[in-house]
Amino acid sequence: MIRWKKRIWAAALSAALMAGASGYGGGIPIVSEVRETEGYPDAQTMLIIATEANRCRQVYTDQIWQVKVGADDEDFQSYLLEEIRTFLKELKTMNLLADEREISLTSQEREQLGELSGEYYDSLTAEDKAYTGAGEQDVYDMYEAYHRANKLVDELTKDVDLEISDSEAKVIRVQEIRLTDQAKAQELYRRVTEEGADFASVARSMSEDGATEKAVGRSERSKAYEDAVFSLEAGQISQVFEDGGSWYIVRCADDYDEEATLERKNRLALQRKNQAFRQIYDAFAAEHPVEISGDIWGSVSLADSGGSVTTDFFERYAERME
């Protein structure tokens, strides 16, 4: 169930994860009310840190680390490191739950993970290895923890009904005119129906909403909007209708977007699986609190990568194991 914020919690649910810093020794202590558990060594933590830090650096350059984000106006480095720490806490908790449920790996899975670890380690540059301080066994241990967590998700949700109907997942494409003036809306409705004005052109020039063409799924808008729009066939234009203080005229461009509907169906199934897993996970986590601490979190500087460039720790896992 692993993902990484916009990507954490979804590996058996489809995933990808975390980010990078510099190599330190020492290990990260983890404390549980139920039992003391060993934390992830710094080298293993650095594999995760390096992957995401370098990915962010490639997209945004090193300017990103001092950018202020969130309500607390923290810098992006602090934000990213806290996300990584949260991920590691969840990963550790999931492995504790896997221990309780006696979930282990098969010899075939271990062999696959061994091959994956060797390939990934061999792909690291000398700078990557120096920056993370990781050896091939560290790579294997992190892949094993990640795979076990994903296997846990599959095992605990194997009986969940993931069947999503076409009706529930249906996505249509519409062109939309939104106005706050009812009289003006009625006038534009007359132009696009009686006078035959091009709907898209009128929408672009007159709508008070910047995005005039949209994909809309069931339950994503209000009942008033759905009642007026989902009954339209391709090419039909709705009557003027009120929704949330605005007046709308909507033209149905496609009354069944097959590709978008399939994507939404998969997304809804994933959400259903995620919800079922979280019910079990959250109850376990509440009884087995885990905290990750250590000097590494205050010592790391993401702006100084030491020349490390690795970015694909989780992508390689997805290619081979999912």
Side-chain angles (χ1 to χ4, degrees):
M1 178 146 237
I2 313 178
R3 279 196 336 164
W4 150 232
K5 226 45 173 184
K6 305 255 167 78
R7 296 199 293 175
I8 287 188
W9 280 113
L13 305 161
S14 125
L17 298 93
M18 304 294 175
S22 20
Y24 295 80
I28 305 168
I30 298 183
V31 179
S32 166
E33 284 184 2
V34 176
R35 56 180 162 172
E36 229 177 274
T37 61
E38 236 182 89
Y40 297 103
D42 285 355
Q44 294 174 23
T45 299
M46 286 302 304
L47 286 168
I48 308 303
I49 289 177
T51 287
E52 282 302 309
N54 288 332
R55 187 181 61 83
C56 290
R57 181 180 291 108
Q58 283 185 357
V59 176
Y60 302 109
T61 77
D62 277 324
Q63 306 274 330
I64 188 64
W65 308 124
Q66 299 308 314
V67 170
K68 302 299 181 183
V69 296
D72 297 331
D73 210 26
E74 64 180 338
D75 61 72
F76 189 77
Q77 170 173 302
S78 299
Y79 169 81
L80 187 58
L81 286 175
E82 187 56 34
E83 291 301 314
I84 295 168
R85 197 200 302 237
T86 298
F87 165 69
L88 291 175
K89 183 170 100 169
E90 293 180 331
L91 186 65
K92 176 59 68 172
T93 302
M94 291 176 75
N95 274 266
L96 290 175
L97 180 52
D99 289 342
E100 184 179 271
R101 299 296 180 111
E102 298 183 343
I103 293 175
S104 59
L105 306 186
T106 65
S107 58
Q108 182 180 7
E109 287 171 320
R110 293 186 184 282
E111 183 179 348
Q112 288 177 302
L113 289 173
E115 293 173 356
L116 170 62
S117 301
E119 290 171 5
Y120 178 75
Y121 186 73
D122 289 344
S123 76
L124 297 178
T125 65
E127 291 79 8
D128 292 327
K129 293 173 182 177
Y131 183 58
T132 62
E136 188 171 339
Q137 186 62 47
D138 293 307
V139 176
Y140 178 87
D141 288 346
M142 285 309 293
Y143 272 137
E144 181 182 51
Y146 188 59
H147 184 66
R148 238 177 130 228
N150 293 325
K151 190 171 181 177
L152 172 74
V153 175
D154 281 339
E155 179 64 27
L156 296 185
T157 60
K158 62 185 180 183
D159 296 326
V160 175
D161 181 10
L162 300 180
E163 189 65 36
I164 307 293
S165 69
D166 282 353
S167 176
E168 183 181 356
K170 183 178 178 179
V171 175
I172 63 174
R173 300 200 66 83
V174 301
Q175 296 166 334
E176 183 181 282
I177 299 173
R178 183 184 69 82
L179 299 165
T180 50
D181 185 324
Q182 181 181 11
K184 188 173 181 181
Q186 293 291 356
E187 170 58 23
L188 291 185
Y189 175 74
R190 187 185 62 78
R191 284 174 54 187
V192 297
T193 55
E194 296 178 15
E195 296 181 8
D198 181 70
F199 193 99
S201 297
V202 173
R204 282 193 297 269
S205 61
M206 304 300 294
S207 178
E208 295 173 13
D209 190 339
T212 57
E213 182 155 332
K214 304 177 179 182
V216 182
R218 282 284 189 189
S219 303
E220 292 181 348
R221 302 289 289 265
S222 70
K223 184 176 185 305
Y225 190 97
E226 282 202 16
D227 288 347
V229 172
F230 271 81
S231 60
L232 298 175
E233 295 180 359
Q236 287 187 325
I237 298 173
S238 73
Q239 298 284 328
V240 176
F241 65 94
E242 189 269 340
D243 181 24
S246 294
W247 297 90
Y248 290 86
I249 314 165
V250 176
R251 178 182 180 275
C252 179
D254 184 348
D255 56 17
Y256 183 76
D257 186 324
E258 185 174 358
E259 183 176 347
T261 297
L262 178 59
E263 289 178 4
R264 187 162 187 262
K265 183 178 291 190
N266 292 336
R267 188 168 65 251
L268 290 174
L270 192 65
Q271 289 172 358
R272 186 178 292 179
K273 186 172 185 178
N274 182 64
Q275 184 178 29
F277 178 80
R278 290 300 305 207
Q279 289 179 339
I280 302 171
Y281 171 86
D282 290 345
F284 180 85
E287 295 178 0
H288 301 72
V290 168
E291 288 300 330
I292 293 187
S293 59
D295 294 339
I296 191 172
W297 302 103
S299 303
V300 151
S301 171
L302 301 189
D304 180 14
S305 68
S308 171
V309 295
T310 182
T311 61
D312 61 353
F313 186 86
F314 297 102
E315 284 77 359
R316 283 177 178 265
Y317 173 90
E319 289 170 4
R320 177 177 280 268
M321 303 300 293
E322 289 184 356

